[in-house]
Amino acid sequence: MRKMLATSDQQNVARALIDARAGKTPLTAYPGAMPQTMADAYAIQDSAIAYDGRRIGGWKVGRIAPDLVDRYGGNRLTGPIFADEIFDGADEPAMPVYAGGFAAAEAEILLCFGDVGTGDYDIDSVKGCIADVRTGIEIASSPFPEINRHGPAVTASDFGNNKGLILGSSIAGWQDADLIRMPVEMAIDGETVGAATMEAMLDGPFGSALFLIEILRARGIAIPPGTWVSAGAITGIHEIRPGQRAEALFDGKIRVGCSIKSY
C-alpha cells in the first residue's frame, strides 16, 4: 500500500472524529465523505493520530470480510491502541465505551514485539521478533454507531474502532504451543456468546504480526520494542453495553475479564 497524504477534506474528517471522541458525542452520520479505499482510510487515521497526540502502545488487527478482499486489496485492517488505554487484566479493569455509539468486546491473542529492526520476515521468522504472547480482550468502541456497516475503510478511519486493550496472562511455552487450535470462549454477564479456535483466522496471530510490520513500514510508522498487537477477534465481535461484564476463557483455564462503563 502506498502512503497517501491527507487532503484537506480528509483532515476535516479526522478532526471531526477526534472531536467526537474527545467530547463523547455520538455521531448520527459519518462526518464527511466516507473513504472508499484503505489508503484513504489510513490517510484519515494518520491525521487523527497526529491530532490526538497520545503515545501509541499497540495496534489492533481486524479481518476484512472475504467478499470485500478484492475491492479493498487485502484481508486485514489496523488501528492504533493508545498507551493510556492498555490495562493489566489482573485487576479486572472497568473499560469505558461511547454511550450512544458502538461498543463490543473481543477475545484476542496479544503479541508483544521485541526488536523488529529492518529485516524481512515470513510467517515463521516473524516469531523471532516477538517477545511475549498473552491472552486478552480488545474493547471496540466508536462514537459512530454504524461504524462497522459501511465497510473496512470506514472502520479503519476511526482508529480501527478501538477503545482499549486488557492484557491477560502470558502463554507459557508459546513458541511451541499449538495456538491455532487453542479453544477460546467469550461470555457476557456469564452467558457464553461465542466459542472458536484460531483455525478460521487466516494465517493466525503471527500472520497478523507480519501484516502489521508490512503496513506500518509502508506508512512510515516505527514499531518500538514493547508494542502490542491485538491479533484479531477469535470468537466474533460481541456487542456490549455499559453495566455488563465480559470474560474470555482461553484453553479452558486462562481467564481474562473486565466490566464496561460509559465513557
Side-chain angles (χ1 to χ4, degrees), residues 222-240:
I223 307 174
T227 298
W228 288 98
V229 185
S230 193
I234 301 169
T235 65
I237 300 170
H238 307 293
E239 293 194 31
I240 199 164

Side-chain angles (χ1 to χ4, degrees), residues 151-221:
V154 168
T155 300
S157 70
D158 187 23
F159 293 156
N161 195 13
N162 178 266
K163 194 66 181 79
L165 191 66
I166 302 110
L167 304 178
S169 301
S170 295
I171 298 174
W174 61 264
Q175 296 90 338
D176 301 313
D178 189 5
L179 296 179
I180 293 292
R181 292 178 177 81
M182 177 188 291
V184 181
E185 299 178 21
M186 174 64 92
I188 294 179
D189 288 344
E191 181 176 346
T192 299
V193 292
T197 67
M198 286 168 270
E199 292 176 278
M201 283 180 57
L202 302 172
D203 47 5
F206 297 105
S208 293
L210 187 63
F211 159 80
L212 191 62
I213 291 171
E214 293 173 347
I215 196 166
L216 293 184
R217 283 176 173 174
R219 292 165 62 187
I221 297 174

Side-chain angles (χ1 to χ4, degrees), residues 4-92:
M4 291 179 57
L5 295 177
T7 65
S8 60
D9 286 344
Q10 289 170 336
Q11 290 174 357
N12 289 339
V13 169
R15 173 59 75 185
L17 291 171
I18 288 295
D19 288 347
R21 282 179 172 253
K24 308 170 189 177
T25 307
L27 292 170
T28 56
Y30 190 80
M34 292 184 179
Q36 299 301 309
T37 68
M38 296 311 295
D40 288 334
Y42 292 131
I44 295 171
Q45 187 187 108
D46 288 345
S47 291
I49 289 170
Y51 287 139
D52 184 285
R54 288 177 292 166
R55 183 173 70 86
I56 293 171
W59 296 83
K60 63 85 57 74
V61 176
R63 184 173 185 177
I64 293 176
D67 60 324
L68 297 176
V69 167
D70 288 344
R71 174 179 172 184
Y72 288 96
N75 55 20
R76 285 180 166 104
L77 62 84
T78 190
I81 306 172
F82 293 100
D84 64 351
E85 294 183 335
I86 299 177
F87 297 90
D88 187 343
D91 300 324
E92 191 158 313

